Amino acid sequence: MQVPAPFEYERAISVDDALALLDRLGPEARVIAGGHSLLPMMKLRLAAPEHLVDINDLRDLDYIRTNGSEMRIGAMTRHRTLLESDALEVQFPIFRDAEQVIADPPVRNRGTIGGALCQADPSEDLSAVCAACHAKLVIRGLDGERVVDMDEFHKGPYETSVGPAEMLTEIRLEMRPRPGSAYEKVERRAGDWAVAAVGAAVWMDEDRIADCGIGLSALGSNVLRAHRAEEELRGKPATDETIEIAGRAAYEECEPVTDQRGSAEYKRHLAYELTKRAVRRALERVPRG
Amino acid sequence: MQVKMTVNGEEVTRDVEPRMLLVHFLRDELDMTGTHWGCDTSNCGTCVVQMDGEPVKSCTVLAAMASGHEILTVEGLEQDGTLDPVQQGFMEEHGLQCGFCTPGMMLTAKALLRENPNPTEAEIREAISGQICRCTGYMNIVKAVRWAADHQPSPLAQEVRS
Ligand SMILES: Cc1cc2nc3c(=O)[nH]c(=O)nc-3n(C[C@H](O)[C@H](O)[C@H](O)COP(=O)(O)OP(=O)(O)OC[C@H]3O[C@@H](n4cnc5c(N)ncnc54)[C@H](O)[C@@H]3O)c2cc1C
Ligand code: FES
Ligand code: FES
């Protein structure tokens, strides 16, 4: 029987309350959101926080709304809400693509976007999605807020720039003209973690790719974005040849390792193939301008 | 610490360790062993109960986190001697063999039917995709849920009952 090590439990009633608790309880305190990454780790004793600060009562962090030219997603928004949001689907269909293949319905009822991004598991899907969309992350501490991009947020496997007495509160997505996005994941069975996955977002200017983002999952513990593949696409016409070159760049720059899900060479092949598929599908979804 | 929640319509209060998981709270503190406990790794779904109407894996929720919430377990499906249509469906369509996965399957099915009273086979399969059955091959579970969809009590009958 798997049981977490003993800890003290606190329930926060507001973001400020949670931050004050984290500050008072010190670095051995952790927030718990959906608990669907943290509790399994605690049951395996891979994590043993002395205090848990439950943030599930912070309903005011559960939202998807537009603010001017931005979509804003609260950190406590559950996977299920992301899956079902039509407003998000219109601007960033990559989210629904990904959510359809993240875990399973009961897990999606609990897991949150904030927990997923803060877990920073190298096989985690929403980090790749947010990297592709050039998301900005709002981190709050007792002294106020700072806004960082995914490259700064995601420090490496299981490591983010969120400090011990800080919380991720919001994810911001800029809505730019003529967007298209898609997520492509290969998994061994329904609801499993990715063997490899690639997310692509493009923004078009006439028939050129004005800007783009390529996010990678399970393709290397320190590789969240395919920067070179992005370079190959940016400013170029959306042709098969451009897409082929971008696929090859992703093949070169990913750093997968061989594990029980597949060999490094197979995953590299997936990086190439899935980059091409994701970019193609993202382009198909761009509204005619 | 003290936890207080509503389980199958009844308020319960217990003193437990913060690390106690909801599945053990239900089975060991309340002696309600209808909720099964299988993989312990959030994968098999036999421990699924409804929390505020949504299916959740009770091996991955702390009893402390469930405090203040409403829990529905398989023991709460039958009302005044009448089986829930989902239970009846599992009987009629042979939706179980060993029965280990059944409580979780039924609670997911009931939540699905409340939101989507007329689900397609694909929608049923998606709803139960986080739950594993090693016996039935899923065919009869899908048929059982369809049976329940076809035999929901009419709104009028529900009114008379309540
Ligand atoms: C069976 C199973 C299958 C899964 N399959 C997939 C999959 O295919 N793809 C995938 O991407 N994920 C998968 N997951 C993970 C799932 O999506 C988790 O829900 C998610 O990764 C974590 O979200 P959570 O809200 O449960 O976080 P928690 O477990 O509560 O927290 C995770 C970490 O983030 C920290 N944290 C949480 N919220 C905040 C915040 N607002 N600010 C600062 N720190 C915070 C916590 O302290 C903890 O360290 C799976 C999980 C399970 C159990
Ligand atoms: S015991 Fe909870 S998912 Fe298997
Ligand atoms: S009936 Fe035996 S596991 Fe489903």
Side-chain angles (χ1 to χ4, degrees):
Chain A
M1 173 163 136
Q2 296 180 8
V3 186
F7 57 84
E8 298 292 326
Y9 172 90
E10 308 275 353
R11 209 184 257 208
I13 53 168
S14 67
V15 174
D16 286 335
D17 183 37
L19 293 171
L21 281 165
L22 291 173
D23 187 52
R24 179 163 62 77
L25 299 169
E28 292 306 317
R30 289 272 276 278
V31 303
I32 184 160
H36 274 59
S37 289
L38 186 51
L39 286 175
M41 295 219 322
M42 289 170 66
K43 287 164 82 175
L44 293 168
R45 307 284 171 116
L46 294 171
E50 287 170 15
H51 300 270
L52 283 187
V53 176
D54 186 348
I55 56 171
N56 281 280
D57 284 354
L58 309 190
R59 302 275 155 79
D60 53 338
L61 288 187
D62 180 357
Y63 57 84
I64 300 172
R65 60 172 85 108
T66 51
N67 186 305
S69 65
E70 268 179 349
M71 290 217 84
R72 297 184 168 186
I73 305 173
M76 281 305 294
T77 307
R78 315 261 174 200
H79 289 302
R80 179 188 181 161
T81 312
L82 296 168
L83 173 66
E84 292 177 352
S85 166
D86 291 331
L88 193 56
E89 165 76 4
V90 169
Q91 287 291 330
F92 297 99
I94 185 174
F95 273 87
R96 187 167 291 171
D97 288 349
E99 287 294 354
Q100 278 168 341
V101 289
I102 290 177
D104 55 56
V107 172
R108 292 198 295 259
N109 282 340
R110 296 295 296 164
T112 64
I113 185 169
L117 297 181
C118 290
Q119 181 68 17
D121 188 300
S123 309
E124 207 275 317
D125 293 297
L126 289 183
S127 300
V129 168
C130 286
C133 298
H134 298 187
K136 297 269 193 297
L137 300 306
V138 182
I139 299 172
R140 208 155 121 189
L142 284 174
D143 302 333
E145 272 181 10
R146 59 201 170 93
V147 182
V148 300
D149 63 19
M150 277 304 286
D151 289 328
E152 191 181 339
F153 179 84
H154 195 94
K155 292 272 181 213
Y158 311 105
E159 210 188 324
T160 69
S161 57
V162 180
E166 286 185 326
M167 274 176 62
L168 172 65
T169 53
E170 189 175 79
I171 293 87
R172 294 183 180 167
L173 305 166
E174 200 192 337
M175 295 186 286
R176 294 150 70 187
R178 300 192 59 215
S181 60
Y183 197 69
E184 294 281 347
K185 172 172 169 175
V186 168
E187 52 187 356
R188 293 176 306 175
R189 56 185 153 78
D192 197 13
W193 296 86
V195 176
V198 177
V202 296
W203 293 272
M204 296 298 287
D205 178 12
E206 305 208 339
D207 57 357
R208 281 177 193 274
I209 300 171
D211 197 5
C212 65
I214 307 288
L216 306 178
S217 172
L219 284 165
S221 54
N222 288 306
V223 190
L224 182 61
R225 262 174 81 181
H227 287 282
R228 279 182 41 215
E230 290 177 9
E231 280 312 311
E232 297 296 352
L233 293 167
R234 207 169 280 129
K236 307 272 167 56
T239 61
D240 284 347
E241 198 192 342
T242 317
I243 297 169
E244 175 68 25
I245 294 170
R248 271 191 244 141
Y251 177 97
E252 293 293 334
E253 70 187 303
C254 66
E255 295 170 9
V257 290
T258 298
D259 62 15
Q260 79 279 14
R261 288 195 165 77
S263 69
E265 192 46 37
Y266 172 52
K267 294 183 192 179
R268 225 175 246 288
H269 169 72
L270 288 178
Y272 162 74
E273 190 56 42
L274 298 182
T275 298
K276 291 200 302 178
R277 284 186 205 169
V279 172
R280 242 184 260 125
R281 205 141 62 91
L283 287 166
E284 282 163 18
R285 286 170 168 173
V286 174
R288 304 274 149 242
Chain B
M1 67 176 289
Q2 195 182 65
V3 299
K4 189 176 181 178
M5 66 187 88
T6 310
V7 179
N8 303 332
E10 268 179 51
E11 194 162 280
V12 297
T13 307
R14 291 287 189 285
D15 244 329
V16 299
E17 272 193 277
R19 62 175 168 163
M20 177 170 270
L21 297 162
L22 179 58
V23 65
H24 302 307
F25 179 81
L26 296 169
R27 292 176 56 87
D28 303 340
E29 289 293 319
L30 305 184
D31 288 328
M32 292 170 59
T33 52
T35 300
H36 290 167
W37 170 50
C39 67
D40 217 1
T41 59
S42 327
N43 283 291
C44 75
T46 192
C47 65
V48 165
V49 300
Q50 285 184 17
M51 182 154 137
D52 301 332
E54 285 193 332
V56 301
K57 292 179 173 175
S58 63
C59 72
T60 319
V61 176
L62 295 169
M65 296 170 87
S67 190
H69 294 271
E70 280 186 31
I71 303 298
L72 179 69
T73 72
V74 65
E75 287 92 343
L77 289 179
E78 167 258 302
Q79 295 284 327
D80 305 323
T82 308
L83 291 182
D84 189 275
V86 168
Q87 291 173 302
Q88 194 70 36
F90 272 73
M91 266 174 63
E92 301 290 339
E93 298 291 350
H94 308 282
L96 62 147
Q97 288 180 32
C98 79
F100 193 69
C101 69
T102 315
M105 291 289 181
M106 293 199 298
L107 285 151
T108 298
K110 191 169 169 62
L112 171 69
L113 293 176
R114 193 181 49 244
E115 281 166 20
N116 179 359
N118 193 17
T120 62
E121 174 172 344
E123 286 165 341
I124 296 169
R125 285 182 180 273
E126 169 61 18
I128 62 170
S129 64
Q131 287 154 268
I132 294 170
C133 177
R134 289 288 85 143
C135 301
T136 66
Y138 303 101
M139 239 0 259
N140 288 358
I141 295 179
V142 174
K143 281 197 215 156
V145 180
R146 261 321 309 178
W147 190 98
D150 293 335
H151 295 81
Q152 289 295 312
S154 68
L156 190 65
Q158 266 172 342
E159 239 167 64
V160 171
R161 214 212 260 171
S162 57

